[in-house]
């Protein structure tokens, strides 16, 4: 059955071009066209449309995305633009749009975009979660990897892992994969990509969980500019419902930029001596000074022993902040991760898995 299409476009030349494509395809039936937002909102319901094209280059149309979503529940709302603009795309997605597409387009491309967005997950903005640690060897990468798989299992939605530890990323080793493309390729190409052409850069680890790998060699990290990496992360949020970024240890332009746009930052610290808590405290103070009211910064302490509420309170008192997540020492999980078998099955009967499952519940609840 053909989609019943309404085009809302104030540029007549572009309107004619779009109509020429749509009317030549048996997959689409153009039931009405409008140049005016209010006219479309007031009159289009009589045609019972299930697919809209809205020109996001018109500010009035961009701002009206939530109205179209509310008025035409269940219909696909595709924003159109001549050049990819991450900020406009983000606003449209926050308004409930299905997604965005570059114009001019072909009928085949429309179907590809609809397929991509239909498997992404709920029509809500993606949740961007970053894992940051003041120093290395905090268990950050293992937590990010397991959290991605648990969220996918709990929600049935698509989850992306981005290995942004540019010099020494371990995620491909954890999953025993050799992706054909890495962050170097993505950041070099991002200006020319759309969600459909960007999706193949990810390596599917298991159903609904995909990886964008760190560079093959440490020296390639110099090829990745922070602003290009941010663009890659933002486009990833158009393809996946949850995006988890494993960041390198310490503050640098990349960690600061990605944390700035994240919804949740997990500050991850391993308990070994008293120095780690001091480092975590300095980190929390820095994030607190930059608080914009949007981002949540949560503390995660790994290898906690004894794994008790009394110890949690003791750490919180030293830290000066609540301890949001405690992770016990679990050598079985370390063995599984180091062997490259992380995607093949996880020991479920451990306190570690219960703790990470609780993290997943918090992430999922954040976006409801």
């Amino acid at each position: 059955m053909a989609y019943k299409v309404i085009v809302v476009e104030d540029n007549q030349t572009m309107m004619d071009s779009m109509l020429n494509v749509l009317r030549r395809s048996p997959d689409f039936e153009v039931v009405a066209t409008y140049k005016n937002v209010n006219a479309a909102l007031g009159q289009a319901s009589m045609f019972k449309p299930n697919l809209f094209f809205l020109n996001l280059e018109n500010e009035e149309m961009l701002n009206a995305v939530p109205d179209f979503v509310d008025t035409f529940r269940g219909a696909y709302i595709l924003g159109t633009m001549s050049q990819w603009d991450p900020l406009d795309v983000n606003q449209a997605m926050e308004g409930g749009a299905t997604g965005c597409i570059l114009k001019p387009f072909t009928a085949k491309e429309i179907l590809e975009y609809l397929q991509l967005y239909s498997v992404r997950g709920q029509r809500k903005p993606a949740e961007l979660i970053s894992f940051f640690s003041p120093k290395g060897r905090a268990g950050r990468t293992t937590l990010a990897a397991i959290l991605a798989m648990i969220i996918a299992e709990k929600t049935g939605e698509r989850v992306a892992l981005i290995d942004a530890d540019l010099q020494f990323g371990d995620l491909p080793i954890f999953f025993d994969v050799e992706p054909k493309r890495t962050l170097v390729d993505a950041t070099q190409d991002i200006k020319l990509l759309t969600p459909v052409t960007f999706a193949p850069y990810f390596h599917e680890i298991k159903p609904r969980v995909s990886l964008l790998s760190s560079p093959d060699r440490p020296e390639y990290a110099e090829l990745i500019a922070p602003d290009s990496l941010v663009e890659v992360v933002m486009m990833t949020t158009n393809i996946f419902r949850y995006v988890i970024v494993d960041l390198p240890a310490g503050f640098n332009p990349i960690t600061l930029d990605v944390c700035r746009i994240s919804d949740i930052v997990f500050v991850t610290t391993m308990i070994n001596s008293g120095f780690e808590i001091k480092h975590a405290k300095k980190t929390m103070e820095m994030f607190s000074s930059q608080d914009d009211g949007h981002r949540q910064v949560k503390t995660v302490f790994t290898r906690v022993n004894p794994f008790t509420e009394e110890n949690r309170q003791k750490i919180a008192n030293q830290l000066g902040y609540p301890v949001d997540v405690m992770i016990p020492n679990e050598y079985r999980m370390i063995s599984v991760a180091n062997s490259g078998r992380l995607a093949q099955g996880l020991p479920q009967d451990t306190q570690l898995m219960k703790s990470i499952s609780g993290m997943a519940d918090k992430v999922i609840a954040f976006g409801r």
Side-chain angles (χ1 to χ4, degrees):
M1 182 180 294
Y3 289 96
K4 291 189 174 183
V5 180
I6 286 183
V7 180
V8 188
E9 170 65 61
D10 55 333
N11 182 308
Q12 187 60 51
T13 300
M14 185 59 68
M15 171 82 83
D16 293 339
S17 175
M18 294 167 66
L19 293 178
N20 183 51
V21 168
L22 292 165
R23 286 170 173 163
R24 291 172 60 185
S25 170
D27 295 305
F28 306 101
E29 177 190 355
V30 180
V31 294
T33 63
Y34 297 94
K35 291 185 177 181
N36 180 274
V37 168
N38 292 329
L41 286 169
Q43 302 172 15
S45 58
M46 71 179 73
F47 300 104
K48 298 182 179 179
N50 55 13
L51 175 58
F52 282 83
F53 292 94
L54 301 181
N55 176 24
L56 300 188
E57 293 166 317
N58 180 309
E59 186 175 0
E60 186 179 9
M61 294 187 191
L62 175 60
N63 293 334
V65 167
D67 297 325
F68 279 91
V69 172
D70 289 340
T71 304
F72 304 97
R73 295 187 179 276
Y76 293 99
I77 310 292
L78 286 182
T80 65
M81 53 184 62
S82 301
Q83 185 174 355
W84 196 262
D85 186 321
L87 295 179
D88 285 351
V89 172
N90 188 59
Q91 181 179 337
M93 297 292 281
E94 287 183 348
T98 308
C100 299
I101 185 171
L102 285 182
K103 54 188 179 183
F105 43 70
T106 65
K108 179 175 179 291
E109 287 173 332
I110 299 171
L111 296 174
E112 289 174 339
Y113 274 86
L114 291 173
Q115 171 61 23
L116 179 72
Y117 291 130
S118 67
V119 299
R120 172 183 176 271
Q122 296 183 70
R123 295 189 193 180
K124 293 183 177 180
E127 286 189 57
L128 176 56
I129 304 103
S130 295
F131 276 83
F132 173 89
S133 59
K135 288 193 172 184
R137 302 187 62 81
R140 182 192 68 239
T141 301
T142 304
L143 287 178
I146 299 173
L147 183 69
M149 291 187 288
I150 292 178
I151 289 176
E153 291 172 2
K154 284 177 175 283
T155 65
E157 298 180 295
R158 298 191 73 198
V159 182
L161 269 169
I162 298 180
D163 193 346
D165 191 347
L166 303 182
Q167 291 186 317
F168 302 106
D170 289 330
L171 281 170
I173 298 173
F174 282 11
F175 294 108
D176 191 25
V177 296
E178 295 183 8
K180 296 180 180 179
R181 290 169 170 166
T182 72
L183 265 174
V184 174
D185 305 301
T187 53
Q188 296 292 311
D189 299 344
I190 191 63
K191 296 291 185 185
L192 305 174
L193 296 175
T194 66
V196 166
T197 56
F198 179 40
Y201 283 63
F202 287 83
H203 184 100
E204 187 175 88
I205 297 167
K206 58 187 304 183
R208 298 186 300 279
V209 182
S210 297
L211 169 67
L212 182 57
S213 176
S214 54
D216 297 326
R217 298 174 60 89
E219 59 267 31
Y220 292 166
E222 298 180 2
L223 302 174
I224 297 178
D227 57 343
S228 295
L229 179 57
V230 168
E231 289 188 54
V232 165
V233 172
M234 292 186 70
M235 188 171 286
T236 303
T237 63
N238 286 260
I239 306 172
F240 297 86
R241 179 68 174 84
Y242 295 90
V243 179
I244 299 175
V245 185
D246 182 30
L247 293 167
F251 287 108
N252 60 55
I254 283 177
T255 58
L256 289 171
D257 282 353
V258 174
C259 286
R260 175 179 51 82
I261 63 173
S262 297
D263 298 299
I264 300 174
V265 177
F266 285 114
V267 175
T268 310
T269 306
M270 180 185 69
I271 293 293
N272 189 29
S273 66
F275 291 108
E276 290 87 6
I277 296 177
K278 292 181 179 179
H279 297 151
K281 184 172 184 177
K282 291 179 180 179
T283 300
M284 293 299 294
E285 288 171 349
M286 182 167 181
F287 279 123
S288 295
S289 68
Q290 299 175 341
D291 186 21
D292 60 3
H294 163 73
R295 178 184 59 199
Q296 288 193 5
V297 181
K298 297 184 177 294
T299 58
V300 182
F301 284 88
T302 64
R303 299 195 181 183
V304 177
N305 185 28
F307 191 72
T308 63
E309 285 302 314
E310 290 81 4
N311 201 18
R312 181 198 295 266
Q313 191 56 54
K314 178 182 176 182
I315 297 170
N317 290 338
Q318 291 176 299
L319 182 66
Y321 294 88
V323 175
D324 295 291
V325 181
M326 286 199 313
I327 304 293
N329 218 347
E330 177 52 68
Y331 292 102
R332 279 193 297 170
M333 190 59 65
I334 295 171
S335 175
V336 170
N338 291 340
S339 68
R341 295 182 287 112
L342 205 55
Q344 298 177 18
L346 302 169
Q348 300 295 320
D349 58 337
T350 65
Q351 188 61 54
L352 180 143
M353 288 300 294
K354 293 177 182 177
S355 299
I356 303 177
S357 179
M359 291 178 67
D361 291 337
K362 292 180 180 180
V363 170
I364 295 166
F366 181 83
R368 287 177 178 166

